[in-house]
Amino acid sequence: MCLGLYILGWGRRTILGYHDKVFSRPTGGHIKRLISHRFSNQEPRSQGLVMGMIRSLILLLSFQLLHVAKGSMVKLNKNGYEDLVVAINPQVPEDANIILSTMNMIKSASNYLFETTKHRFFFKSVKIIIPKTWKKNTTYSRLKTESYDKADVIIADHNGKQVDAPYTLQYAGCKEKGRYIHFTPNFLLNDRLAKVYGERGPVFVHEWAHLRWGVFDEYNSDVPFYVSGNSEKGSVEVTSCPAGVTGTPVFIDCNEDKCESRICRYDGQLYEKGCSFIPDIQQKISGSVMCFQHIPSVVEFCDKNTHNIEAPNMQNEICNYKSTWEVIMESDDFRISSVLNASAPPSETTFTLMQTQDRAVALVLDVSGSMSKSDRIGHLYSAAEVFLLQIIEIGSWVGIVTFDSEASEKAPLQQITNDAARQKLVQYLPTFASGTTNICAGIHKGLKLIEDKMATTYGSEIVLLTDGEDQGIAACFHLVKQSGAKIHTIALGPEAAKELEEFSKVTGGLKLYAADGVTPSKLISTFSTITSESGEISEQSIQLESKELAVQYSGWMNATVPVDKTVGNDTFFSVAWSLSQPFFFLRDPKGKEYGSLDFTIKDSTGNTARLSISGTAEVGDWQFCIKNTHTATQGISVTATSRPASSSVPPVTIAAHVTRANRPFNPVVVYAEVSQGFLPVVGATVIATIEKDGAAAVTLELRDNGAGADTIKNDGIYSRYFTSLQGIGRYNVKVNAQGRNTTTRLGFRQNRAFYIPGYRENGKIYMNAPRPKFTDKENEVKLGSFSRISTSSLVVNTDDYAPLYPPCKVTDLRARIENKTIVLSWTAPGGDFDNGKADHYIIKSSANLLDLRNHFDRATSVNSSNLIPKEAGSEETFKINPENFDTENDIIIYFAICAVDDTNLISEVSNIAQATWFIPPKPSVPLEYDGNNDSVNSTVIVVPLDYDGNNGSVNSTVKVAIVALCVAVACTILSSTLCVLQKRKGRLSIETIQKLV
């Protein structure tokens, strides 16, 4: 029997919610009274996962995720979603209509959500973050721990050709929460876009289901129709849920205001690419939101009774052929809620307008005696110096606190306005360590330092670094929760307090870890992660390189640091060594060399040399040549950072995340999102290095191939299972993405709202202008060589008894007929999830899809004894002779596969592949097909709406004759309702909006 495993995906972890209000308004006395208050000790919340015995008596590991996600703060309270955060990108020009339209969209969505979830869920409260670039308003609330980076909904322009399509970024598999929902300002402001995407309220609910419950689309743009086996002769069906939607298949080729129509060509099995299905505006169906949310009659999700299990869509493939409603019913939200006996939500959605403020950061640094070990105090100085000189953004406020048994304010909060202000702060960094550890004393002092200057701690940040334990750490948990400040924790070395991450957990801060090293490069990478979360990417520092090697006497270390065209401002290089200064020089792309005399070496540390490039650095490869002139082997490291070259061109970025499924075997997954703005970067080489104190580093190549840990192919999310856990403790994960002198392709986001081609009403077909198509060449971007670094962490709390993992599920099994032979293809799993290789395969077939899924063991076996599995990630193919199949009666044959490792652990059953053996003699159309409208007199009315919705001539029409209407079916969807919220003319004032909140 195939053991059911769950393909892990990453979901945004919900931060603990709380309503305790410290301040009636942010004034100073409240925090001072809190600080002076005595707190009783309290145990930190357990962060372990339940352990259990699975199959081969595997003891599962409990763990915490560090820097996993800048996670959602939404909580469900009495059926209502509270604290949903919407954030407007700083690059969006100020327009109060955006706020009004967002409010109206979510109000409408609340009613629609209540109806589609059978009176169970609605939106209770929403926070809208207004960027600092918009005008200040005294009525705006101050941010606490909310931020742009962890918003549930982002409003921003696309930097590519997707234009206005709403979408949800999903890293993971079925049931796993998404990252965020994306809307463009034009989608919110241009009412005409309702013609091509549907009304905003239902569109929001469609995306919310992606984000919150981890369901997927029930249409398929790439496979718009399929051959169904539900009838004796087979029939061509539209890829949809439910089946049986009425409409007209038609092929129309429109060029501006000219349209030509013709019969869709039929290849004996399916219809040609481009054949569209035009639904009737009036339908008898009531589902489904994930396919036809634009149709007025659609007020349900597909459930077990209405689900179209045959449709080749993402919902079936990723969610194991379960309906969307079944998945929703298995969610935590459903478990803790009940049906409300009401016809409408019990309350209207309330809104709070908040505005981003200047960044205020207190460095709270441990200087106790243990910091003298492994030169931690020296590494702290070097890493904090880089943070002050290169990472923290201009205009930010920074102060410094140190603590041992007591805390001391070294530098009051002061604004960074220029390089001199940065250098001034560096003078206050600690260089000496002694005494015991009192973490709470440092936190108290840090909060007071911020409040003394800002009159509140709301929206501020503390960077808390420690290497030791503190028995009284729980005494300040309550203070931290009430402060409205965000705590980023850095655990340095293996002995840092186990409860440390609790501070980050309750405030939404980053949870970071740095292993001891011979140079400060590891700690520098960790500090480099702590950038602003305001969304102003043009101001942020980007890490290009972080490399450390042990170099023998007279040995050379060569490092190439590519500077691509999206970065180059404020570029900074550094070399560090563990024993004595090596010989080194840096050569720019034009051949200019910078020797050691061009670098700055401080007497206070003496083990680091730094170079800042004035202006914009040359695009191309910068080459370090370093020779170890010391008499023994020593550690040498290279780091480099830069900022975007232009505020108008988004830089290539990488974000690393680590998570683990709360499922059998609990595999850890490393994710890396590589993107330029909102577009995924496809084709990069992404390597993760996982390191733990006292253990050898492990490297993994992350993949974007839609197999193993990777959910969707070519979406810019690179993934891999990590199966080499080495016992309890914290793990540092450094991910490096590179593109080497190649043309990188920008992909499109999946799970985006479908562009509606048109609809039929009263015998007339109303067509929207076709969505522009772009060639692969147009999607290519010549970035040259680039390199990016991102750091993440995890911690394992329970000892690991060397668990054995099964092969991962095959998720991309495909079947095709080739020269009267059935050819199966898939990506090879590993012996341990997607690492190594399996021992053998089990292949089964059936004429019934559900029987194959539910009773794999009883299905017909396919002899695959001569098939030897390849290394994980390789392409597998297997040819099957059809002699053993009843090809006279079986029109469609379904196949599934399991992989088995050398210890007889078996993977979950794969996705199910379909081979259509007999070609249907005549396509059968399962639609209410009106033959009276198939004549040459049928009318097509084209609305020449530009793709961006800006064409004003929406009332003009073009009538063309249809020669004949094809019987193809494609899953395209319509907007049946043109009645959307009336956009107010002119520009609304913020005061007007405030009255509506």
Side-chain angles (χ1 to χ4, degrees), residues 137-428:
N137 190 303
T138 56
T139 60
Y140 292 157
S141 298
R142 187 180 179 90
L143 294 182
K144 292 174 70 175
T145 57
E146 305 85 2
S147 70
Y148 174 92
D149 275 11
K150 67 179 180 184
D152 305 288
V153 180
I154 288 175
I155 299 172
D157 284 308
H158 279 299
N159 56 293
K161 298 169 182 176
Q162 269 183 287
V163 193
D164 295 307
Y167 71 86
T168 301
L169 180 59
Q170 290 178 273
Y171 280 16
C174 191
K175 304 180 188 178
E176 300 288 344
K177 290 180 173 62
R179 181 71 175 86
Y180 59 78
I181 299 170
H182 181 278
F183 295 110
T184 65
N186 194 45
F187 175 82
L188 295 169
L189 297 175
N190 193 334
D191 292 345
R192 297 186 188 120
L193 288 176
K195 297 177 183 293
V196 292
Y197 295 114
E199 290 190 47
R200 297 186 187 105
V203 170
F204 189 93
V205 172
H206 176 99
E207 300 305 328
W208 178 257
H210 284 310
L211 181 77
R212 187 69 182 183
W213 300 312
V215 298
F216 292 83
D217 288 328
E218 292 169 330
Y219 49 81
N220 189 333
S221 302
D222 298 324
V223 187
F225 46 93
Y226 66 100
V227 177
S228 170
N230 284 333
S231 64
E232 292 183 2
K233 295 183 179 180
S235 62
V236 177
E237 301 278 357
V238 63
T239 302
S240 66
C241 191
V245 61
T246 63
T248 299
V250 60
F251 190 103
I252 298 181
D253 186 13
C254 291
N255 183 11
E256 296 181 352
D257 60 349
K258 287 186 177 181
C259 290
E260 295 180 358
S261 62
R262 59 171 174 79
I263 297 174
C264 292
R265 298 185 181 94
Y266 177 62
D267 65 6
Q269 199 171 77
L270 292 176
Y271 290 92
E272 64 180 306
K273 186 177 181 180
C275 189
S276 297
F277 174 67
I278 309 302
D280 290 323
I281 194 170
Q282 300 297 329
Q283 297 282 343
K284 296 179 181 179
I285 62 172
S286 57
S288 165
V289 173
M290 301 312 293
C291 194
F292 294 117
Q293 82 274 4
H294 345 75
I295 296 177
S297 63
V298 170
V299 291
E300 294 178 353
F301 290 89
C302 262
D303 59 21
K304 188 175 183 179
N305 296 322
T306 60
H307 184 57
N308 181 4
I309 196 169
E310 286 191 315
N313 54 36
M314 291 181 67
Q315 174 63 24
N316 275 333
E317 190 161 302
I318 296 177
C319 291
N320 199 26
Y321 306 91
K322 285 186 177 181
S323 69
T324 52
W325 186 245
E326 287 176 278
V327 173
I328 294 169
M329 289 174 65
E330 294 174 3
S331 68
D332 290 338
D333 290 351
F334 200 91
R335 180 178 52 81
I336 64 174
S337 64
S338 59
V339 174
L340 296 177
N341 185 20
S343 59
S347 62
E348 280 199 3
T349 310
T350 61
F351 296 85
T352 302
L353 302 186
M354 318 177 81
Q355 188 166 33
T356 305
Q357 57 268 354
D358 287 341
R359 193 179 185 196
V361 181
L363 298 182
V364 178
L365 309 175
D366 188 349
V367 293
S368 62
S370 57
M371 287 291 291
S372 61
K373 297 179 182 178
S374 303
D375 196 23
R376 290 173 186 166
I377 193 69
H379 295 169
L380 168 59
Y381 183 96
S382 298
E385 181 181 31
V386 170
F387 179 79
L388 293 173
L389 295 179
Q390 299 299 135
I391 308 303
I392 190 74
E393 298 79 12
I394 200 79
S396 301
W397 295 77
V398 183
I400 300 173
V401 168
T402 61
F403 67 92
D404 43 38
S405 57
E406 297 180 347
S408 174
E409 179 184 304
K410 295 299 181 182
L413 206 66
Q414 49 202 278
Q415 191 170 28
I416 295 178
T417 55
N418 51 38
D419 288 342
R422 295 179 184 273
Q423 293 288 351
K424 180 181 178 182
L425 280 165
V426 169
Q427 298 174 12
Y428 298 103

Side-chain angles (χ1 to χ4, degrees), residues 783-800:
L783 295 172
S785 296
F786 70 87
S787 177
R788 299 291 186 272
I789 300 289
S790 181
T791 301
S792 184
S793 306
L794 68 92
V795 59
V796 176
N797 288 328
T798 305
D799 204 2
D800 178 9

